[in-house]
Each structure stands twice: as C-alpha cells, then as structure tokens.
Amino acid sequence: MTIKRTLTLRNLLILFCIAMLVLIVLKGIDINRKMAWVDEAGRYYDQNDLLRAEEGYQKAAGNKSIHYKEALIAERLRELEPITLMKQTLTQLDRRAERTGSGQDFTGFLQVYNELLSAKSKFMGTNDRFAPYYAKISANLGISDHMTSYFQQFKALFYNQLEERLAKGQTDEAVPKWNLLAIPDDFYGGTTEKTKQLNAKFKDFDEKLLAKLAGDGKFQDLLNLSQSFISQYEGRKMKAPWVKSKTDELARIILEKDVDGDQPANYAVHAKAYESYAKSTGIKSGLLSEIDRQIRKWLTSAQRKIKNNDYEGAIAIYEALSSFQDTSEELKKAKLAWTVHDPLRLLQQTDGTKNYSHVSGGGNRFGGSAYAIGSDDDNAVYFAIMNEDESVQLVSTHDFPSGVSIRQISIEKSLSTKTVPVILVEGESASRQALYAAFEVHDGSMTPLFLFDADGYEVQADKSLLVTRPDGVQGDGGTSQQAIYMRQGDSYQFMGYQKDYTDISVNDLLGHSNEKVRFTCYVVYGGEGDALAQMGDSYVKLHGNYTFSDGMNVTVTGLFSQFEDVYPGGDQLGEMVTVPVFDVENME
C-alpha cells in the first residue's frame, strides 16, 4: 500500500509539471502571436491598408496574455473606430437579414434593407478617408448577395401566393401584390423593368380574378373588387387601365346576357350596381350610355304593351326596372289603365268572392280615377270608384227585382253629372220591351230614381223623361203613347201623357196644314166614315173610321193635308163647294 501511494503521488506530480509546461508553452505562443499581430497591424497601417490594420489591432487587443504596446493598440483602435463601427453595423444587419429572410419575415427584411441603406448613406456620405472601406466590408460579408438572394426568394413567394389566391378565388391579394411592389427597383433590374414586370403580372392576375368572379355570377363582388383595385392603384400612384377595361368588358357581357335572356329585373340590378360603381370610382364609361338606351327600350316596350292591352306585361317590366329607377308613377298609371280597361278588377278588389256580371266602367269620371258597375247573381247592383289615393269605395243596392233577368247595366249619361253617376239597369219585361231601373249614387249610397216597364224612354232637356207606353199608368194623351215623368225629390213620378196635338178653333184649321190638331165642331151632314161639319161660312169634311151623326158637337183630333170638292147634303144639283179634308184619328 505504501509503494502504490508513493507511485500515485509521483504520477500526479509528473502530470502537474507536464500541465504547467503546456501552459507555459501556450502562453509563449499567445505572447508571440500578440506581438506578431501588433507588428503585422503596424505594417498594414503603414501601407494604409486600414481594414487589415483594424483587424490586427482588434485581435491584439483581445489577447490578454501579455501587456504589449497597449497604448499604441488603444490609440490605433480609436483612430480606426469608424471601420470598427462599419463592420459591427454591417455584421449585425447581415445576421438580421439572414434571420428575417429565412423566416419569410418580409416586413422585418424590408426594415433591415432600409437600415442598410441608411448605414450606407451614413458611412459613405462622408468625405473622410474611411468612406471607401464601406464597400470592401460589405463585399467581404457578402451582404449584397444575401439581400439579392432573399429578395428573389420573396418575389417567388409572392408570385406563388398570388397564384394560390387566384386558384382559390380569393380576393385578399393585396398583401402579396403590394409586397411585390415594395421590393426595391434594383432587384427587378431597374424602375422600367420593374414597372414592366409588375404591370404584366398584376394585369394577368387582376383580369383572371375579375373574370372568375364574373363567371361565378358574382357581379357585385366583381364591381367591388374592381373599385378596390382602382383605389389601391391610385393610392400608390400607379396606372392600371386594365382594371376599368376588363370590368367594362365583363359587365357588358353580363348585361348582354340579361338582355338576350329577356331578364329586365336582373339587368336593372346589374345596371344599377354598375352605375353606382362608375359614380364611386369617377370613371367615364360608354357602358352607361348603353344602359340608358336599353332601359329606355324596355320602358318603350312597356308603353307599347299598354297600348296593346298587355297590362300584365307592362307592369312586369316596370316592376323589374324599379331597382334601377323609380317607376312607381309608371306602375300606377299602368295599373289604372288596366283597371279602366278591365273594370272587373276594381269590383274584385273590394270583394273577390262574388261572381260579377254585366260589368263595365271607365276612368277619370265622377271624381275618381276609375269606376266600375255590375251586378251579382242575386241582382244586387254595384258601383265602385277608385280615389286618387288608390283607395276604393263600393256602394250597392238590392232594389232591382231579384227574379228579373238583367240584360245590361250602363251609366245613364243624360242624368249623370260630373260627380254623381246614375246607373241604368235594363231587364226582361213580360208586358213591354224592357224593365228600366235607374239608381243615383251619392253620399255613399244608391237611391232608386225610377222603375217601370216600357217600350223605351228619352231624357228631355229639362231632365224629365218621355216614356213610351209605360205599363200600369193611366192618363189622357189622345193618341200619344209618350208619358211624362218628372223628378220629385229623389225619384221620378208619372205626370201624365204627352199631348201630340194642338187645340185650335175649327175656323183656324186652314192655318195648321199638315199639323196634328184638335178642335170642336158641329156636324151638319152626318154619315158613316165621312161628314161635313160647320167651319165658319163653309164646311170641313171629317174623314175617319167613325159614325158621324147630324147635329152633333164633336171634338176631333187629326190632320188636315188636302182639299176636296163636295156637294153639301149630297145634292148634286146644288152648288159644289171646295172644303178642307180632316183625317180624324180620334173623336170624343
């Protein structure tokens, strides 16, 4: 055990001595190296190779194995401090460029690039003797090559991102697009080449993306994206005429499809959207004129449809175009024209459950824009009127006999006024040509004016009625069949028959040739069918289907139109007398 312990201690001592010898040797080497670096840096300094001199002095300053010319080293490093600062700055920028470039941090990479430009301006902008060393330091680090390489990688990355977004139909392309624009001109080969490359790329991308939206039927998205493109390009002082031209091309295609498919509603929506787009972007487009012409074509077509009584077609056009412009007035007029043409619509508007017949109507009368008249299965008579505010008023009456078949219902123009209509109902009659009934509409109700069976009637200038052969009334009209009805209050009353003759004196007969008259005379010579009656100092011959007796006073109605030679009393030996012949229609 003693021997082993002795050997171990000896070995440790030997090892310690060897280690110390190694350290002494290394120390000697470092001392010689520092002295060599100082001498070498001095030679470079004397040769004005300040870059290498700074490097040598930096190495010597870092060697603490010996204090050797420390004052000289410090003085020289203070003198060469600009070079040291250049190296430190560019080295740090190069490392950051590596980190941001490999990490695809484009914002950070641009920051490094901008700081690099600032450093270059700072260090090379001076006129001192150290300025030329900036390029050498930069070249030694290879920072320009590194920046170029990463910018090319970013270009490829952003181009790929644009293609990916295009394939997916994504419109959030602003980041890769404007990143490409942010890459300095020099990395494209200059400003002209950059503009050429990016314009070609942006044009291809923009047009394809706009076309994809149009193909998918996303018209509003197409316009929104186009407007966004224009705004973004203008904000970057870039000219991008392809955006407007491609948008117009695609919009025109879509609008033409709407026209070809006769889809005015779609056209109106698309046209309005394009009009708003043009206004917002401030562009001038010939497509606006085309839109205006097409809208006017459809409006003209709607007007023609109204003239051809195709009101539904016209209304459909007006409703379709309402999203482009206000067509409410045109719609109102078209619906009114339809109602005037088809009054049944007005009646059905108030009550669509009834079966209306004998319907007629018109427009712009009785204080309304349209009116309608008609009846239902129960012979109820209706009058409906549309007010200016398009509200509808309806009045009706059940006063017409329910068991009578109605022939027709009309407006009695001669009895109606501008604001008060009179409705005439004609029905079947068992005793006369027709059953006539009239109803006056006022104050929200229908008042019966008359109801009679007759062969006809006429309205006189004084609004009285001259009724032909009214049934169920008595009166003295001679041979006349015309009865007079006068309005008394709210209805017409029978006033008697109209006389169709003139009462005269028999002595005045010669003054009423060919005129129906009535007079009283004394029969001198009677007879069957013929007689002579006293007329002043002469006679009048009475002729008619009556028996005339001598010595009678008769009242006759008839007509005088000719003369005849007669022998009074039939004595042909007597004197012949020329007398007027009176054709008797009625004798009393």
Side-chain angles (χ1 to χ4, degrees), residues 13-26:
L13 181 60
I14 292 172
L15 291 174
F16 177 75
C17 290
I18 292 173
M20 291 300 294
L21 181 62
V22 170
L23 290 174
I24 292 171
V25 172
L26 292 175

Side-chain angles (χ1 to χ4, degrees), residues 287-556:
L287 187 54
L288 293 173
S289 299
E290 296 177 26
I291 289 173
D292 181 65
R293 285 195 296 272
Q294 182 58 49
I295 292 295
R296 283 190 279 110
K297 282 183 179 179
W298 265 315
L299 291 174
T300 301
S301 173
Q303 293 171 358
R304 285 198 301 267
K305 289 181 181 295
I306 291 176
K307 291 181 180 179
N308 295 329
N309 299 329
D310 182 9
Y311 302 100
E312 287 183 278
I315 289 172
I317 292 177
Y318 288 138
E319 289 178 340
L321 300 182
S322 63
S323 58
F324 180 79
Q325 67 182 51
D326 183 9
T327 57
S328 58
E329 192 62 28
E330 288 82 355
L331 271 170
K332 180 179 179 180
K333 291 180 179 178
K335 290 179 180 179
L336 176 60
W338 190 7
T339 300
V340 171
H341 177 75
D342 185 7
L344 179 61
R345 284 169 41 84
L346 192 58
L347 293 173
Q348 290 177 333
Q349 186 173 340
T350 58
D351 187 350
T353 64
K354 295 184 179 299
N355 180 32
Y356 297 99
S357 56
H358 307 101
V359 177
S360 63
N364 197 27
R365 290 188 68 184
F366 311 124
S369 55
Y371 74 92
I373 56 177
S375 63
D376 63 16
D377 294 339
D378 296 326
N379 276 9
V381 179
Y382 295 89
F383 175 83
I385 190 164
M386 177 182 287
N387 300 315
E388 291 301 326
D389 62 358
E390 297 187 359
S391 63
V392 179
Q393 289 179 301
L394 178 71
V395 293
S396 63
T397 181
H398 291 78
D399 288 336
F400 191 83
S402 60
V404 176
S405 177
I406 295 177
R407 294 177 183 170
Q408 67 174 6
I409 300 177
S410 61
I411 294 293
E412 174 48 89
K413 298 179 181 179
S414 299
L415 296 178
S416 300
T417 66
K418 291 183 178 180
T419 58
V420 178
V422 173
I423 301 173
L424 176 65
V425 184
E426 296 183 30
E428 296 289 344
S429 173
S431 58
R432 294 292 186 266
Q433 292 294 325
L435 171 62
Y436 297 97
F439 304 94
E440 185 177 67
V441 181
H442 60 83
D443 299 329
S445 63
M446 298 177 68
T447 303
L449 288 183
F450 58 77
L451 177 67
F452 47 70
D453 291 271
D455 288 344
Y457 76 92
E458 294 179 10
V459 179
Q460 304 301 296
D462 62 355
K463 302 301 181 182
S464 63
L465 305 181
L466 194 59
V467 183
T468 303
R469 296 185 65 228
D471 190 19
V473 295
Q474 300 295 325
D476 181 12
T479 60
S480 174
Q481 295 179 329
Q482 305 294 319
I484 298 175
Y485 283 70
M486 299 289 291
R487 181 162 181 170
Q488 295 183 340
D490 288 336
S491 64
Y492 278 85
Q493 301 296 324
F494 172 72
M495 304 303 293
Y497 280 95
Q498 181 186 46
K499 293 182 179 181
D500 58 351
Y501 55 84
T502 303
D503 284 310
I504 64 171
S505 169
V506 65
N507 296 329
D508 297 329
L509 177 62
L510 297 180
H512 297 275
S513 176
N514 292 312
E515 181 181 340
K516 195 171 184 179
V517 295
R518 187 177 74 164
F519 56 84
T520 301
C521 60
Y522 175 76
V523 177
V524 179
Y525 301 104
E528 188 69 32
D530 292 298
L532 288 178
Q534 185 73 41
M535 188 182 73
D537 295 335
S538 186
Y539 302 97
V540 57
K541 181 178 180 179
L542 304 178
H543 174 73
N545 190 24
Y546 295 95
T547 299
F548 302 100
S549 301
D550 295 347
M552 291 178 56
N553 279 316
V554 294
T555 299
V556 292

Side-chain angles (χ1 to χ4, degrees), residues 6 52 60 86 91 110 116 133 138 140-141 153 260 290 323 360 449 460 483 485 496 514 522 570 583:
T6 302
R52 290 185 178 180
M86 287 182 192
T91 299
L110 276 182
L116 181 63
Y133 289 97
S138 176
N140 290 340
L141 292 173
Q153 291 178 32
D260 294 341
E290 296 177 26
S323 58
S360 63
L449 288 183
Q460 304 301 296
Y485 283 70
N514 292 312
Y522 175 76
D583 291 318

